[in-house]
Amino acid sequence: MRVEVAQTAGFCFGVDRAVSTVYRLLEEGKKAATLGPIIHNPQVTGDLAARGVRVVSRPEETPPGYTLVIRSHGVPREVEEKARSLGLSYVDATCPFVKKIHNLAERAGEQGQVFLLAGDKNHPEVQGIVGHCKGENFVIKSSEELVELLKNHPELEKKPLAFAAQTTFHAGEWEKCAETLKKLCTNAAVFATICNATARRQKEAKTLAQRCDRMVVVGGRDSSNTAKLREICAEYCEAYLIERADELPVFSAGLSVGITAGASTPASIIKEVLATMAEVTNNEQNFEEMLEESLKKLNTDEKVHGVVVGISPTEVYVDVGRKQAGFIPAGELSNDPNVKPEDVVKIGDEMDLLIMKTNDQEGTIMLSKRRVDAMKGWDEITEAQENNEILEGKVIEVVKGGVIVLYKAMRIFVPASQATASRGEDLNELMGQEVRFRIIEVNRQRRRAVGSIRSVLREERKAAQEKFWEQVEEGQHYTGKVKSLTSFGAFVDLGGVDGMVHISELSWNRIKHPSEVLSVGDTVEVYVKGLDRENGKISLGYKRPEDNPWVKLEREYPVGTVCDAKIVGMTQFGAFASVIPGIDGLIHISQIADHRIEKPQDVLKIGDEVKVKITDIDFDRHRVSLSIRALLEEQKAQEDEEAAQAPAEEVVYSTEAPAQEEESAAEEQE
């Protein structure tokens, strides 16, 4: 028979801390009472009872002179307030991981979020968490219950939610719940609060059960996390839950047996089970050495290897194979201040980390990924400097005197003088851009690396210029970007080479400055009008022939056309009127009216809208002659013709006319 033991077994940090608190009180000669059983293990609770430790269900049941110990599961806020109001001497041994969920529950209510908890509503830990909620809250124990909850409360899909889990919740079921919530709710903040020791313990139990014929789970039958371990193992092989070594079943020869233990199982019981198994199999298991290894303290600045077991908006939870709980603050995950943890890592990722700080009281380790990455990066950028290598990074900050480029985990400072192709360009336009650069200075002592974007841009521009001049011909069309404007034209970047559009080429209409047509940064379609290869100058055309107003005039306004025109200028000999944008015609003073006038202002003023007839067009000299008189004469001629063609009126003579006139006069008088 082959026996294999899970690496993670025995007391988790929270349980060990609570049990140690009670034993420490006893060693100090104090009397202790626990608010509920301090641990779900009959051997430990039996030993404590034999030493005089009392178990109470409410703070007011605490005997006089006893110190009350709040167990690792935690309690509702009102229980803590009750203990204080009674003036009791008490020690709060709530697991730090559970305390964190208490804070989440309180903050959710304060921020108007609905608090959703995955767990067993009858478990003391869950009851304690719910007791810290300040707003609407719900408890679900499966993805099916979550779907049912959202079905019965459809309004939750639109409300802001905060979703967390009991520290000993089934890791697989938690992933299902989180995925379900992600699909159904778009306004939910998900916090991975399963204890990393629990998550690792469950993962190891699953892996062990998949390759073993039988599994033995050691722990108290009232322990939630021990029961979950058995459930996980039972999915893959026959599993047994035992509290003591004498409950071990008899296994057939040739079987492979895996052993794991819950977080409430003392090391002494685990060693007893292993000793019993060793006697049966003659297989020596040095579990004590493994236990000591897992309890080994970690030193600050030490490198460790970790696995991501949870992700929240503010930190990443990492299993580093020790009793302490590892976490990486978002700021220590990457040098990019705008990045989100979920964009950098995912559950199951393995990485090298640097220990920043240990907290033995809370059993946590603060870790850094970016610093390890940065340490690796120094060798890389030093080598890149020596080889004059071109690197690629993202501009993440615009600072005084330059920009910061993030290359992997390294922050590279690029001075303003080295950040753009020419001086004076706006550095803010580089923000968020991917850029190519070289390392020009490395100072490890000062932790400073300096780069140059300009050196790469100049090389790229030179290469682009050479390629451009090899291929360019007059008449070719290009898409370019307006680089600058002057009083005489616009300079356009054609991709490494600048060409100029003269102001006369910007519009068919007369303009005073290029800014009337273009702005710096505009993307324009241009064509090559002329090339000066010797001096490297390019003349560009921007006006399209089809937009030429004289072409439009010839096509749409032949001689004889009557159209509306606007008076735009006056002279002694006539008035100028705009026929179409870009073309003004002259109405000679003799053509303004059908009678003699002294000056154009006698009839017209600037801004008048008039009907004119095009009487002549000189395309060579770009002149248009207009007439109002022609239209007036045509109108008069038409009226005379209509009058000549009208029938004569019939005249009726009557002897009664005077009488009728007298009658009409009488009527008017009345």
Side-chain angles (χ1 to χ4, degrees):
M1 182 169 61
R2 180 174 62 84
V3 178
E4 190 172 353
V5 184
Q7 292 183 1
T8 304
F11 281 172
C12 68
F13 167 76
V15 171
D16 184 56
R17 179 168 171 262
V19 172
S20 297
T21 297
V22 179
Y23 278 110
R24 187 177 67 253
L25 289 172
L26 296 177
E27 291 172 0
E28 294 173 355
K30 297 178 181 178
K31 297 178 180 179
T34 61
L35 196 55
I38 195 68
I39 185 176
H40 290 304
N41 182 274
Q43 288 77 21
V44 175
T45 54
D47 179 62
L48 291 175
R51 297 186 182 211
V53 176
R54 302 279 291 273
V55 178
V56 298
S57 57
R58 296 179 301 166
E60 50 265 40
E61 294 176 1
T62 305
Y66 277 67
T67 298
L68 181 65
V69 179
I70 296 176
R71 57 186 175 176
S72 60
H73 295 315
V75 294
R77 185 174 59 254
E78 62 182 19
V79 175
E80 297 176 5
E81 293 173 351
K82 185 66 175 179
R84 285 194 291 269
S85 66
L86 293 172
L88 296 176
S89 171
Y90 74 94
V91 178
D92 188 357
T94 303
C95 174
F97 288 115
V98 178
K99 275 289 187 186
K100 184 174 290 188
I101 307 176
H102 288 179
N103 295 333
L104 287 174
E106 290 182 3
R107 191 163 62 246
E110 293 169 354
Q111 295 178 353
Q113 294 175 307
V114 177
F115 186 71
L116 185 60
L117 182 67
D120 179 0
K121 63 181 179 181
N122 296 316
H123 193 277
E125 179 186 321
V126 172
Q127 293 172 350
I129 294 169
V130 171
H132 282 267
C133 290
K134 292 185 176 181
E136 190 176 9
N137 61 87
F138 298 92
V139 178
I140 54 99
K141 64 178 179 181
S142 65
S143 55
E144 290 77 15
E145 277 197 10
L146 175 57
V147 172
E148 189 67 22
L149 173 67
L150 296 175
K151 181 180 178 182
N152 295 333
H153 298 272
E155 71 279 2
L156 293 180
E157 295 183 15
K158 298 180 180 179
K159 290 184 177 181
L161 299 175
F163 186 36
Q166 179 182 345
T167 57
T168 56
F169 193 67
H170 192 299
E173 192 62 37
W174 163 255
E175 291 178 5
K176 291 180 184 177
C177 290
E179 191 64 30
T180 299
L181 189 65
K182 189 176 181 180
K183 291 178 181 177
L184 300 178
C185 296
T186 58
N187 198 15
V190 179
F191 299 90
T193 52
I194 297 178
C195 173
N196 60 3
T198 298
R200 185 181 182 195
R201 195 186 308 267
Q202 292 178 359
K203 182 179 179 181
E204 285 185 353
K206 176 182 175 180
T207 303
L208 203 54
Q210 287 174 330
R211 64 171 179 258
C212 290
D213 301 314
R214 302 287 188 273
M215 282 295 296
V216 175
V217 182
V218 186
R221 290 187 173 83
D222 294 330
S223 168
S224 172
N225 72 85
T226 303
K228 286 185 177 65
L229 285 177
R230 185 188 177 283
E231 289 175 11
I232 292 170
C233 294
E235 293 178 14
Y236 303 97
C237 67
E238 193 170 346
Y240 302 88
L241 194 159
I242 65 171
E243 290 187 343
R244 302 183 307 276
D246 57 14
E247 295 178 1
L248 270 170
V250 177
F251 297 111
S252 303
L255 293 177
S256 59
V257 180
I259 299 178
T260 186
S264 303
T265 309
S268 58
I269 295 178
I270 301 172
K271 285 191 282 187
E272 184 182 348
V273 170
L274 290 172
T276 303
M277 293 292 291
E279 289 177 7
V280 175
T281 63
N282 292 320
N283 181 15
E284 303 228 351
Q285 303 281 345
N286 197 343
F287 183 76
E288 188 170 358
E289 287 184 7
M290 289 192 293
L291 200 61
E292 289 177 358
E293 174 66 20
S294 69
L295 291 171
K296 184 176 68 174
K297 289 188 177 181
L298 299 174
N299 299 316
T300 302
D301 294 332
E302 179 185 344
K303 285 185 183 179
V304 292
H305 189 75
V307 180
V308 176
V309 296
I311 302 171
S312 79
T314 57
E315 57 194 17
V316 173
Y317 306 104
V318 183
D319 181 3
V320 293
R322 302 291 187 267
K323 287 292 183 180
Q324 292 94 333
F327 70 95
I328 310 170
E332 290 296 330
L333 199 59
S334 167
N335 268 324
D336 186 348
N338 302 312
V339 79
K340 297 179 180 178
E342 60 266 27
D343 296 334
V344 179
V345 296
K346 61 181 182 299
I347 302 294
D349 280 356
E350 297 187 23
M351 63 191 74
D352 292 323
L353 302 162
L354 186 70
I355 299 174
M356 300 297 297
K357 182 168 60 177
T358 59
N359 189 325
D360 292 332
Q361 184 175 359
E362 294 188 359
T364 58
I365 314 164
M366 187 171 78
L367 304 162
S368 174
K369 177 180 182 295
R370 71 177 182 87
R371 302 191 187 215
V372 172
D373 292 341
M375 290 165 65
K376 294 177 181 177
W378 283 110
D379 293 335
E380 191 171 338
I381 64 171
T382 300
E383 185 177 351
Q385 181 190 18
E386 293 172 355
N387 298 330
N388 202 32
E389 183 181 348
I390 296 176
L391 306 176
E392 292 186 12
K394 180 181 178 182
V395 177
I396 59 170
E397 285 184 61
V398 177
V399 297
K400 184 178 180 180
V403 298
I404 301 296
V405 177
L406 182 64
Y407 171 68
K408 296 185 178 179
M410 299 290 294
R411 290 169 61 89
I412 312 297
F413 174 67
V414 179
S417 61
Q418 297 293 327
T420 55
S422 57
R423 293 181 181 272
E425 294 185 44
D426 187 4
L427 297 182
N428 290 305
E429 292 186 3
L430 290 174
M431 185 63 186
Q433 298 293 319
E434 294 287 338
V435 295
R436 288 158 56 83
F437 64 96
R438 281 193 177 90
I439 301 296
I440 58 177
E441 179 187 336
V442 176
N443 190 324
R444 289 203 181 204
Q445 287 72 29
R446 296 180 58 193
R447 292 185 173 275
R448 174 183 170 89
V450 181
S452 171
I453 299 173
R454 174 176 289 184
S455 66
V456 178
L457 289 176
R458 285 182 173 176
E459 281 187 8
E460 292 175 344
R461 191 174 185 84
K462 184 178 180 181
Q465 287 174 346
E466 292 175 356
K467 184 177 180 181
F468 179 88
W469 285 106
E470 288 174 3
Q471 301 175 347
V472 68
E473 297 291 343
E474 287 188 16
Q476 287 182 336
H477 288 254
Y478 290 91
T479 299
K481 189 175 183 180
V482 178
K483 190 175 180 182
S484 63
L485 300 175
T486 67
S487 60
F488 52 85
F491 286 91
V492 179
D493 184 356
L494 303 177
V497 179
D498 291 345
M500 192 194 78
V501 183
H502 192 269
I503 188 171
S504 62
E505 284 294 325
L506 287 173
S507 175
W508 289 106
N509 300 326
R510 186 171 297 176
I511 60 174
K512 294 181 179 179
H513 193 273
S515 59
E516 296 178 38
V517 179
L518 298 175
S519 299
V520 173
D522 284 352
T523 299
V524 293
E525 297 290 333
V526 294
Y527 62 93
V528 178
K529 286 196 67 179
L531 293 170
D532 183 349
R533 294 181 183 274
E534 186 176 344
N535 296 309
K537 293 183 178 180
I538 306 168
S539 297
L540 300 174
Y542 178 70
K543 295 186 299 187
R544 294 183 300 177
E546 59 267 29
D547 293 334
N548 187 338
W550 289 97
V551 173
K552 182 177 181 181
L553 187 75
E554 183 178 17
R555 184 176 63 246
E556 301 177 15
Y557 296 81
V559 172
T561 300
V562 176
C563 60
D564 293 320
K566 184 177 181 180
I567 305 301
V568 294
M570 295 284 192
T571 67
Q572 291 180 350
F573 53 84
F576 286 97
S578 174
V579 181
I580 61 175
I583 296 181
D584 297 340
L586 173 65
I587 311 172
H588 192 269
I589 190 170
S590 64
Q591 298 298 314
I592 291 176
D594 56 359
H595 57 277
R596 181 179 178 82
I597 60 174
E598 295 296 328
K599 55 185 182 297
Q601 290 86 344
D602 292 342
V603 178
L604 301 172
K605 63 181 183 296
I606 292 178
D608 281 354
E609 298 279 350
V610 294
K611 283 243 185 239
V612 296
K613 184 176 184 177
I614 300 176
T615 58
D616 186 50
I617 302 175
D618 186 339
F619 287 102
D620 293 332
R621 299 171 67 187
H622 282 185
R623 291 183 178 179
V624 179
S625 298
L626 306 173
S627 175
I628 299 175
R629 178 178 176 177
L631 294 177
L632 293 174
E633 290 177 345
E634 289 176 3
Q635 182 180 358
K636 186 175 184 303
Q638 184 177 359
E639 290 174 352
D640 291 344
E641 184 180 348
E642 290 175 352
Q645 294 176 354
E649 293 184 3
E650 184 178 354
V651 179
V652 180
Y653 297 95
S654 174
T655 56
E656 298 179 357
Q660 291 175 347
E661 290 175 0
E662 291 175 2
E663 192 174 325
S664 297
E667 287 176 358
E668 289 177 1
Q669 186 174 5
E670 288 177 359

